[in-house]
Amino acid sequence: MIDSDIPSPTMLLVHGAWHGSWCWDRPREALRAAGWSTRTVDLPSAGRDCGVHEDAQAVLEELGRIDGPVVIVAHSYGGIPATQAAAKAADVVRIIYLAAYQLDAEESLLGFHGAPIPEEPHGLQPVPDDSLSMFYGDLPDAEAQAAVRRLVPQSIRSFGEPLTQAAWHTVPSAYIVCERDQALPPHDQETLATRSGEVHRLASGHSPFLSMPDELAAVLAKIALGPAVRPQH
């Protein structure tokens, strides 16, 4: 349990593409039982034709509703708007990237992968056909199927818009590599993780918030309570 005499930060949990704040329900329960306060935000690009900067604004607005220090936990695509938003927020004390895109200014998700940016980036990207194996390969089939049914189309624009600011240059960050990830390959995560001050690993697929929520909650708490480590660049 957290020492009640020591102020602890609130964790703001930011979901990835195609998902919603529902995906954090299990680790939130574990964190709450350990004395942590958590908040979530629904990114408008999940289900609507909105881009990185609308998502970042949603994160920034949620940050504005939280009193005291905040640790942002961002999953997958969610790392991009979190990185943008945290650069404009005074109370963010750490960013934890969970199998997430820790991009720099002028980088985009598609650009990171060397993919072309659509000339007319409008509309929605359907839920991937292989979502079951890509996102939830280490979940029991019934649970994985239930999660897939909750996914929504994702804005195409969100994948191609570049960042204009990158908070991790000034805000301490940590990276959690998901070693069995079938969506964001672990070797890509290891590359991104070099931008963080510390690196942790889970033997999970892309969605440890569903497959190992208690273990994830324990790692998040460990990072949030540990000393801030800045990357050596």
Side-chain angles (χ1 to χ4, degrees):
M1 297 290 288
I2 300 169
D3 188 330
S4 59
D5 294 330
I6 302 174
S8 60
T10 297
M11 290 192 196
L12 175 60
L13 310 173
V14 183
H15 66 80
W18 296 289
H19 285 70
S21 58
W22 59 267
C23 70
W24 297 110
D25 288 350
R26 293 180 185 177
R28 288 188 83 184
E29 290 179 10
L31 288 163
R32 189 178 302 115
W36 290 91
S37 176
T38 64
R39 300 282 284 271
T40 60
V41 58
D42 282 304
L43 300 178
S45 65
R48 289 190 280 155
D49 186 7
C50 298
V52 167
H53 299 287
E54 287 98 330
D55 286 345
Q57 184 61 33
V59 174
L60 197 59
E61 289 173 2
E62 191 60 36
L63 288 169
R65 299 184 187 104
I66 302 172
D67 294 325
V70 181
V71 170
I72 297 179
V73 181
H75 178 246
S76 197
Y77 161 79
I80 302 173
T83 296
Q84 180 79 24
K88 300 178 180 179
D91 291 333
V92 176
V93 296
R94 194 177 318 231
I95 307 171
I96 302 175
Y97 293 90
L98 174 63
Y101 288 90
Q102 185 171 356
L103 301 185
D104 208 345
E106 301 184 3
E107 293 181 343
S108 66
L109 186 152
L110 290 175
F112 173 77
H113 290 292
I117 308 298
E119 291 185 10
E120 295 291 334
H122 296 290
L124 299 175
Q125 182 75 31
V127 174
D129 292 337
D130 55 350
S131 293
L132 202 69
S133 59
M134 188 164 71
F135 298 143
Y136 313 123
D138 53 348
L139 273 175
D141 188 64
E143 292 182 31
Q145 295 279 5
V148 168
R149 287 194 292 271
R150 302 189 74 169
L151 300 178
V152 297
Q154 177 71 21
S155 162
I156 294 172
R157 189 152 56 97
S158 65
F159 295 138
E161 283 188 348
L163 291 176
T164 61
Q165 293 178 282
W168 53 266
H169 285 291
T170 54
V171 178
S173 61
Y175 201 101
I176 302 174
V177 175
C178 294
E179 297 179 316
R180 299 175 182 172
D181 200 324
Q182 300 299 308
L184 180 56
H187 65 83
D188 285 339
Q189 293 182 48
E190 296 286 357
T191 297
L192 291 162
T194 62
R195 295 171 168 178
S196 275
E198 56 184 297
V199 182
H200 302 259
R201 292 174 176 81
L202 288 172
S204 78
H206 192 60
S207 306
F209 39 77
L210 296 180
S211 63
M212 50 176 65
D214 293 340
E215 294 90 335
L216 173 60
V219 173
L220 295 177
K222 176 183 176 181
I223 296 170
L225 289 176
V229 181
R230 294 185 182 277
Q232 300 298 314
H233 292 310

